[in-house]
Amino acid sequence: MKKEDEIFIPYGRQKITQDDIKAVVKVLQSTMLTQGPMVPQFEKAISSEVGASYAIAVNSATSALHIACKALNLAQGDWVWTSPITFVASANCALYCGANIDFIDININNGLIDVDKLEEKLIYSEKNGRLPKIIIPVHLSGSSCNMKRIDELSKQFGFKIIEDASHAIGGKYNGVKVGSCQYSDVTVFSFHPVKIITTAEGGVACTNKQEIASKMRVLRSHGITKEVNSFKYKPSGPWTYEQQELGYNYKMNDIQAALGISQLKRLNSIIHKRNKQRDYYQKAIKEENIQMLEIPLNVKSSVHLAIIRLTNKSAAEHKKIFESMLKQGIGVQLHYSPVHMQPYFRELGFRENSFPEAKKYAESAITIPIYEDLTVEEQNRVIDALSNAIRS
Ligand SMILES: *Cc1c(COP(=O)(O)O)cnc(C)c1O
């Protein structure tokens, strides 16, 4: 290993254990690499872990968001609203369906959509006949949005809810696990290697609604159904399946599912460690005018990301501190550069100042390293590097 590789601390990284490797090898030595027993087993493990009736495993959270939108009948002319402080996938899923995208500005202290602003925007949009069909709250860094309030608004204004919980498996809201879909139609998790647990690439869509679950199941596999009872035509033999609509090949394979099952067993200990690491940062960072992203009171965060905010620095100073940290071998990141400011979205008509809190957030937030194997010594190095950066 080169010296530089040894000393660079990334903002996040996966952990693969011997048990994980054994689980994957076992599938590789079996007869079924895909469409075998592991995917249904993984789905069962996920749904019982998060308390949802159904879990549909797919090849990414992006795919899960897409088929969730489709299953909720999102189509051309409809509107989807999400947070500007998210990964682009939370917005792209609307565009895949030919729908329009808009955003709700955030609460800068916790990075989550501001429900007061959401309510204002709904009242205004109702007058213009432009109410959203779907709202996608994003549980940034693993902290649940104010789902009770969003659910109340959904009943008042008639929209559906997809929780983008890509960061939030293992988290709780009001003591109930994220993914239980208590206040939503669908909840989506990601298993990309930087997330809480991984299947290399992968995602899952959870729901309590049988009809939405079966729609998503059909959509992940070409629009094909093998349920003879739901065939449109009388089958000509036992080999028949029917494609009844246009779907996709979004299937998860058995190698991924086996890794997921194995990783899921460590979920509780992973969440515990991440919370401890976050607490350590919170206590040990003594700089004035630096705040960690707040976790709402009724939320148990999965702490997917450790995000600090510089509360009295200019955008230029923020950039300088960022660069200095990188030079010192600390893999800082920005989660996220606001989606509406991406070139593709600017072309849809969004301006930099369309969501001023999101812009201000992006000029003050820094993601610092947090992951399962991060040591206290490494955390201390991060904290020292931050002090240096601020004083340089
Ligand atoms: C990672 C992520 C996604 C996409 O997940 P993939 O599994 O990589 O498709 C979507 N939304 C958010 C908030 C994410 O962080």
Side-chain angles (χ1 to χ4, degrees), residues 186-199:
V186 180
T187 301
V188 164
F189 296 110
S190 170
F191 306 121
H192 183 277
V194 297
K195 307 291 160 80
I196 301 279
I197 59 167
T198 190
T199 61

Side-chain angles (χ1 to χ4, degrees), residues 125-325:
S125 302
E126 188 172 39
K127 289 183 192 138
N128 295 340
R130 269 206 185 179
L131 282 173
K133 183 159 193 167
I134 300 175
I135 288 186
I136 306 181
V138 178
H139 302 331
L140 184 73
S141 85
S143 297
S144 173
C145 294
N146 186 342
M147 291 311 298
K148 191 156 184 288
R149 186 85 189 279
I150 296 170
D151 179 51
E152 283 161 8
L153 291 169
S154 85
K155 289 182 176 124
Q156 192 180 339
F157 292 94
F159 56 83
K160 307 277 187 198
I161 302 171
I162 302 172
E163 294 175 69
D164 185 344
S166 291
H167 300 180
I169 195 162
K172 285 184 184 171
Y173 172 72
N174 279 342
V176 178
K177 285 189 180 154
V178 172
S180 70
C181 299
Q182 190 179 9
Y183 297 115
S184 63
D185 297 282
V186 180
T187 301
V188 164
F189 296 110
S190 170
F191 306 121
H192 183 277
V194 297
K195 307 291 160 80
I196 301 279
I197 59 167
T198 190
T199 61
E201 293 280 358
V204 69
C206 297
T207 183
N208 292 330
K209 297 179 177 158
Q210 197 254 321
E211 194 195 331
I212 295 173
S214 41
K215 274 190 187 169
M216 292 196 293
R217 229 173 242 128
V218 166
L219 284 165
R220 92 170 146 187
S221 188
H222 312 276
I224 283 173
T225 180
K226 291 179 179 168
E227 297 283 334
V228 183
N229 291 337
S230 57
F231 280 7
K232 299 208 163 155
Y233 296 92
K234 194 174 166 337
S236 57
W239 53 85
T240 317
Y241 57 79
E242 271 191 0
Q243 182 189 343
Q244 299 181 342
E245 62 180 307
L246 187 61
Y248 310 90
N249 184 356
Y250 283 171
K251 294 190 300 291
M252 177 179 273
N253 66 49
D254 278 48
I255 304 167
Q256 295 170 306
L259 180 55
I261 293 166
S262 180
Q263 290 250 316
L264 191 60
K265 290 181 183 150
R266 297 208 320 278
L267 182 63
N268 285 342
S269 94
I270 292 171
I271 301 302
H272 181 73
K273 274 187 203 156
R274 285 176 173 270
N275 273 275
K276 245 176 84 178
Q277 288 164 337
R278 182 187 178 282
D279 290 347
Y280 185 80
Y281 275 137
Q282 185 144 45
K283 288 202 189 82
I285 296 174
K286 298 242 160 55
E287 303 294 333
E288 273 179 60
N289 305 311
I290 290 189
Q291 285 174 6
M292 295 216 63
L293 208 59
E294 282 173 13
I295 298 173
L297 277 180
N298 50 353
V299 168
K300 160 108 191 197
S301 180
S302 60
V303 192
H304 163 54
L305 299 169
I307 299 175
I308 56 168
R309 279 192 50 248
L310 313 170
T311 54
N312 72 336
K313 301 277 183 209
S314 66
E317 287 170 308
H318 171 250
K319 188 171 161 229
K320 229 182 95 198
I321 290 168
F322 220 100
E323 286 166 350
S324 163
M325 300 270 298

